[in-house]
Amino acid sequence: MNQQADKLRSYAQDNVVFLLQRLMEDILSQQPKNVIDWSIAWLDKKGRDIVKSRQRPNAQSSSSDEEVIELPKRPAAARKQRASISAEAYGQYNRKESFQPRVIVKSQQQKEIISKRLSQSFMFASLDSREKDIVIDAMEERSYNVDDWVIKQGDNGDNLYVVDQGELNCFKRFTKDGENKFLKVYYPGESFGELALLYNAPRAASIQSKTNSVLFALDRQTFNHIVKDAAMKKREKYVNVLKQIELLSMMDPYERSHVADAIKSASFQKGEYVIREGEQGDIFYMIEEGNLIATKTLVQGQDPVKVFQYKEGDYFGELALLKDIPRQANIVAETEVKLIYLDRHSFKRMLGPLEDILRRNTDKYQKYEQYWITQGK
């Protein structure tokens, strides 16, 4: 029986797992609306090419070259149940079975430290107090030295990590044989490693300790039963919103997913001020729904005039954060609006690679301001 199971595992590894991994990576990258139809088309075209590329050039079609593995027959009652392609080789890790949370003994001080870090991590924002206690009990403290690799891209993953002390660099290869590209730095209170657990996929990036670091590791089982559903729901909602923001459409899906984790939301009624000219600004806004206008005092002593119009998919508030200056205009809701936003720290940390584009785009405000001045408004 063990020999047969080994053969099945070997067969799945050689003929199924690699294909499912590539399919999963492309699904996460493209995020098609109709996953089933898209996957069928993918398997018929790209899937065939991938399989062909793995075959040996001198492979023979003779049945004597390969051992035929006969799958064990299921009981009659079981045959009526829906079969799962990945039940044995790939998907077993994320099945919700009977759950007995692990408890790792900790001091009260350790629990308080973990609780503080969880409150800083967006991944755990939706947990109630009972769920948070289960997560705290299950977490394991791990220490890493400078240059230690915590996770490596392509490996299987069984833990999510929350940073308690130190800094860690994140790298990603965008082609199979490409070089590691630096993406970002992880700081205390941030989490990583959740993609492998959320989507049952290989590690999407590599994380290396930049300094001596202390992390808290959460196991797959606890994550699946306590954190996963709420985290996936929030992430998927905001990833879809972010894809509509032109500025962020060029971001790698891995980076975009982390922006989605950091996002908060706010709603405003028609006529309400989101930003007031002259105030200090610490928030970068993106528009999920609705329309807003920017008004500005162009002549001292006169009423502010409209200088810009915002719609769904636009963003504002970046000037104060990029140039460290007071707000340069009022932003007023023209309709009921839903906004998503990042605070100053998250903006600098996550949108750093886009800073040059943001700075170039600030010219649009000067052009509109000059237009209204010439119109005598």
Side-chain angles (χ1 to χ4, degrees), residues 290-307:
N291 298 308
L292 303 98
I293 58 171
T295 66
K296 185 174 176 63
T297 303
L298 301 179
V299 179
Q300 196 66 30
Q302 295 187 9
D303 291 338
V305 299
K306 175 181 172 181
V307 294

Side-chain angles (χ1 to χ4, degrees), residues 48-175:
R48 290 181 187 275
D49 293 338
I50 291 171
V51 171
K52 287 178 182 178
S53 69
R54 286 173 61 93
Q55 293 175 341
R56 298 190 304 270
N58 60 346
Q60 301 294 319
S61 60
S62 171
S63 60
S64 62
D65 286 341
E66 296 181 351
E67 180 180 2
V68 176
I69 299 175
E70 184 177 351
L71 296 176
K73 294 181 179 180
R74 291 179 294 164
R79 292 174 195 161
K80 297 179 181 179
Q81 299 175 357
R82 185 179 63 177
S84 171
I85 294 174
S86 57
E88 169 65 21
Y90 198 72
Q92 62 179 341
Y93 304 108
N94 273 351
R95 290 184 301 180
K96 286 192 175 181
E97 299 171 345
S98 58
F99 173 58
Q100 181 63 43
R102 73 176 185 178
V103 177
I104 296 175
V105 178
K106 301 175 181 68
S107 66
Q108 185 58 36
Q109 183 180 15
Q110 284 179 306
K111 290 183 178 182
E112 290 173 0
I113 292 172
I114 296 175
S115 179
K116 176 185 176 182
R117 293 309 184 198
L118 293 185
S119 67
Q120 295 173 304
S121 176
F122 311 104
M123 183 64 60
F124 303 95
S126 301
L127 301 184
D128 59 32
S129 58
R130 183 189 67 84
E131 292 168 331
K132 189 174 288 187
D133 287 341
I134 293 173
V135 169
I136 290 171
D137 285 339
M139 281 192 148
E140 178 184 7
E141 183 176 307
R142 297 185 182 179
S143 298
Y144 295 87
N145 296 321
V146 177
D147 293 336
D148 282 351
W149 290 99
V150 182
I151 62 177
K152 290 190 175 181
Q153 184 174 346
D155 288 351
N156 292 324
D158 289 315
N159 291 283
L160 169 151
Y161 298 90
V162 177
V163 184
D164 178 43
Q165 299 175 33
E167 299 176 5
L168 301 100
N169 288 329
C170 175
F171 301 94
K172 183 175 176 65
R173 294 189 314 274
F174 290 91
T175 60

Side-chain angles (χ1 to χ4, degrees), residues 18-80:
F18 80 93
L19 194 61
L20 292 178
Q21 287 175 340
R22 291 292 301 274
L23 174 59
M24 180 70 75
E25 289 171 1
D26 283 0
I27 288 175
L28 295 179
S29 174
Q30 300 297 323
Q31 299 182 355
K33 290 184 178 180
N34 189 323
V35 176
I36 293 175
D37 289 347
W38 189 91
S39 298
I40 291 171
W42 185 95
L43 288 167
D44 189 47
K45 295 179 181 178
K46 189 171 181 179
R48 290 181 187 275
D49 293 338
I50 291 171
V51 171
K52 287 178 182 178
S53 69
R54 286 173 61 93
Q55 293 175 341
R56 298 190 304 270
N58 60 346
Q60 301 294 319
S61 60
S62 171
S63 60
S64 62
D65 286 341
E66 296 181 351
E67 180 180 2
V68 176
I69 299 175
E70 184 177 351
L71 296 176
K73 294 181 179 180
R74 291 179 294 164
R79 292 174 195 161
K80 297 179 181 179

